[in-house]
């Protein structure tokens, strides 16, 4: 499991700090051939970016689970 903390993190945090990017997903996502299951949770814009980037990189959309929270923008 990979975690990224955006705004605040414990002093001893060794994981990613800051917003995720296409480059981070390219580096951290497992190969599509592994058929991993991905869970993405967050605001709609974040979920769409992360899921869309993974699909563009060859991940199977059926193996990506999402949950959105916060304003929908409508």
């Amino acid at each position: 499991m990979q975690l990224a903390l955006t705004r605040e993190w414990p002093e001893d945090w060794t994981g990613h700090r800051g917003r995720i990017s296409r480059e981070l997903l390219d580096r951290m996502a497992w190969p599509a051939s592994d058929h991993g299951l991905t869970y993405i949770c967050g605001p709609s814009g974040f979920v769409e970016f992360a899921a869309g980037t993974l699909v563009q990189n060859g991940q199977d959309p059926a193996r990506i689970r999402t949950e959105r929270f916060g304003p929908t923008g409508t």
Side-chain angles (χ1 to χ4, degrees), residues 10 12 18 20 25-26 30 32 35 54-55 61 71 74:
D12 61 346
I20 66 166
L25 292 175
D26 289 347
W30 49 77
H35 305 289
L54 292 172
V55 170
T74 58

Side-chain angles (χ1 to χ4, degrees), residues 2-7 16 18-22 24-25 38-55 64-73:
Q2 300 293 325
L3 299 174
L5 298 180
T6 304
R7 294 188 181 118
H16 181 75
R19 295 184 179 267
I20 66 166
S21 64
R22 179 174 303 279
L24 178 67
L25 292 175
T38 301
Y39 292 87
I40 304 169
C41 180
S44 291
F46 167 79
V47 171
E48 293 301 321
F49 168 78
T53 299
L54 292 172
V55 170
I64 299 173
R65 307 290 189 266
T66 63
E67 181 176 334
R68 294 160 176 81
F69 61 79
T72 62

